[in-house]
């Protein structure tokens, strides 16, 4: 256990797939001056968010991609292009490692070969590494312990992650679908639970979360209470109520969960 290191969660985006008023859900876990990027949104808007957050590309050496939906993986292709360009220019030290399951790995390799120039694509497999993980696999970055798990999605294959911070805190990343009890081993008693909340329960008839295999803020609050976590963070929401989202989602989740609830805006920084 290492204490007194700078630890932050930087929310680059907080919205679901079809949002236009905020960016797709993705974020960076910062430990000192190193960053783990989790997903990258649906396009080169990831560059805008990283620049607004003052995160240098040269300090991102690890990325976890949860699944292959457009709003999570296409921004990763732009990240690969950017870092490959920096490598080509001699401006990037070290390697860039992407953690993902086999289906996402196939997508990245295919997109890379189809869309990148040969001089950039050649870095995939040389200094840009696609590290394929399976259910329960563990990996170690410079400052983080990672354990990946299948969330047993009913749609595209999707993985979550149990992240152990230098000070011993545990963060459970559930991805963007409802919790499956088969994941309890990785999630229960966590210090931080990162959960999707597509909309408020009172708006379920408008946004149809259950038909899309998503949860509401109320569901997330119940889950956090059931799993005995300390902090609940909600993301991957609709964007029609951004002006009241923080207050309304917090209030609804708080009907069941008495711990700390975070409903961040894009670019919000949360000390860990």
């Amino acid at each position: 256990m290492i204490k007194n290191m700078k630890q932050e969660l930087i929310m680059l985006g907080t919205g679901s797939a079809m949002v236009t008023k905020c960016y797709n859900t993705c974020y960076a876990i910062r430990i000192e001056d190193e960053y783990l990027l989790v997903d990258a949104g649906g396009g080169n808007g990831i560059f805008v968010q990283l620049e607004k957050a003052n995160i240098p590309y040269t300090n991102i050496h690890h990325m976890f991609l949860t699944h292959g939906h457009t709003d999570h993986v296409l921004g990763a292709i732009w990240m690969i292009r950017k870092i490959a360009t920096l490598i080509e220019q001699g401006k990037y030290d070290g390697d860039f490692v992407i953690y993902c399951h086999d289906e996402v790995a196939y997508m990245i390799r295919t997109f890379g070969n189809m869309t990148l120039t040969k001089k950039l694509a050649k870095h995939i497999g040389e200094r840009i590494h696609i590290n394929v993980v399976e259910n329960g696999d563990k990996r170690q970055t410079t400052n983080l312990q990672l354990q990946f798990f299948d969330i047993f999605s009913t749609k595209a294959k999707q993985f979550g992650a149990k992240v152990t911070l230098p000070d011993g805190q545990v963060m459970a990343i559930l991805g963007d679908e409802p919790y499956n009890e088969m994941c309890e081993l990785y999630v229960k008693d966590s210090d931080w639970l990162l959960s999707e909340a597509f909309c408020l329960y009172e708006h379920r008839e408008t946004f149809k979360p259950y038909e899309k295999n998503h949860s509401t803020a109320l569901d997330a609050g119940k889950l956090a209470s059931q799993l005995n976590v300390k902090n609940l963070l909600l993301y991957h929401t609709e964007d029609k109520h951004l002006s009241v989202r923080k207050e309304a989602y917090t209030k609804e989740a708080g009907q069941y969960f008495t711990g700390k609830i975070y409903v961040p805006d894009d670019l919000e920084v949360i000390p860990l």
Side-chain angles (χ1 to χ4, degrees):
M1 182 183 296
I2 302 173
K3 297 182 178 180
N4 301 320
M5 298 184 77
K6 189 177 185 67
Q7 302 180 160
E8 294 177 339
L9 181 67
I10 304 167
M11 296 303 302
L12 299 171
T14 58
S16 54
M18 302 299 286
V19 295
T20 58
K21 298 177 179 64
C22 56
Y23 192 58
N24 307 129
T25 293
C26 57
Y27 44 95
I29 300 173
R30 177 184 182 180
I31 307 296
E32 295 293 343
D33 292 325
E34 278 290 318
Y35 300 83
L36 167 71
L37 186 61
V38 180
D39 291 328
N44 72 350
I46 186 62
F47 296 162
V48 177
Q49 300 306 96
L50 288 171
E51 289 179 11
K52 286 181 177 179
N54 294 313
I55 297 177
Y57 301 104
T58 51
N59 289 35
I60 303 171
H61 289 97
H62 301 271
M63 177 167 62
F64 168 43
L65 298 178
T66 59
H67 63 298
H69 283 166
T70 52
D71 56 317
H72 296 263
V73 77
L74 293 185
I77 303 302
W78 286 100
M79 284 299 300
I80 290 171
R81 175 174 176 170
K82 180 67 175 181
I83 289 176
T85 300
L86 292 173
I87 291 173
E88 192 70 18
Q89 296 171 344
K91 298 178 180 179
Y92 186 89
D93 294 330
D95 293 351
F96 181 54
V97 183
I98 303 166
Y99 306 99
C100 59
H101 60 67
D102 55 350
E103 293 180 10
V104 172
Y106 173 77
M107 295 174 68
I108 292 172
R109 291 191 184 103
T110 302
F111 291 159
N113 289 328
M114 292 178 66
T115 62
L116 300 177
T117 62
K118 288 184 178 180
K119 74 175 184 178
L120 296 182
K122 72 179 182 182
H123 294 292
I124 301 176
E126 292 183 2
R127 290 181 56 192
I128 298 176
H129 306 284
I130 301 174
N131 193 315
V132 178
V133 297
E134 297 182 357
N135 188 36
D137 278 357
K138 297 180 180 180
R139 297 291 188 271
Q140 178 76 48
T141 71
T142 306
N143 295 307
L144 297 170
Q145 297 176 32
L146 309 175
Q147 186 171 23
F148 304 96
F149 57 91
D150 193 328
I151 71 164
F152 301 99
S153 167
T154 59
K155 298 185 290 187
K157 182 177 179 179
Q158 183 171 170
F159 274 23
K162 176 182 178 180
V163 181
T164 304
L165 304 175
D167 65 358
Q169 289 190 87
V170 172
M171 175 184 292
I173 297 171
L174 284 183
D176 71 358
E177 292 197 20
Y179 166 77
N180 187 305
E181 63 183 11
M182 289 188 286
C183 302
E184 183 180 34
L185 170 67
Y186 307 103
V187 179
K188 189 174 177 60
D189 300 322
S190 297
D191 296 285
W192 296 86
L193 179 66
L194 276 57
S195 172
E196 56 94 20
F198 193 68
C199 65
L200 296 174
Y201 184 76
E202 66 179 272
H203 294 154
R204 64 193 182 282
E205 294 302 322
T206 300
F207 295 105
K208 311 294 183 183
Y210 304 127
E211 294 178 16
K212 300 172 183 177
N213 201 32
H214 287 309
S215 305
T216 66
L218 191 71
D219 299 322
K222 289 181 182 179
L223 177 64
S225 179
Q226 170 192 333
L227 292 172
N228 192 41
V229 303
K230 295 178 181 177
N231 300 280
L232 172 64
L233 187 143
L234 304 181
Y235 55 28
H236 203 267
T237 77
E238 47 83 20
D239 66 345
K240 307 305 180 188
H241 301 88
L242 289 185
S243 63
V244 297
R245 180 178 65 175
K246 190 181 292 287
E247 179 181 358
Y249 280 56
T250 299
K251 181 179 179 180
E252 185 171 279
Q255 292 181 41
Y256 287 91
F257 182 61
T258 58
K260 180 68 175 178
I261 300 170
Y262 297 83
V263 185
D265 295 319
D266 284 14
L267 303 174
E268 190 167 332
V269 178
I270 301 166
L272 299 173

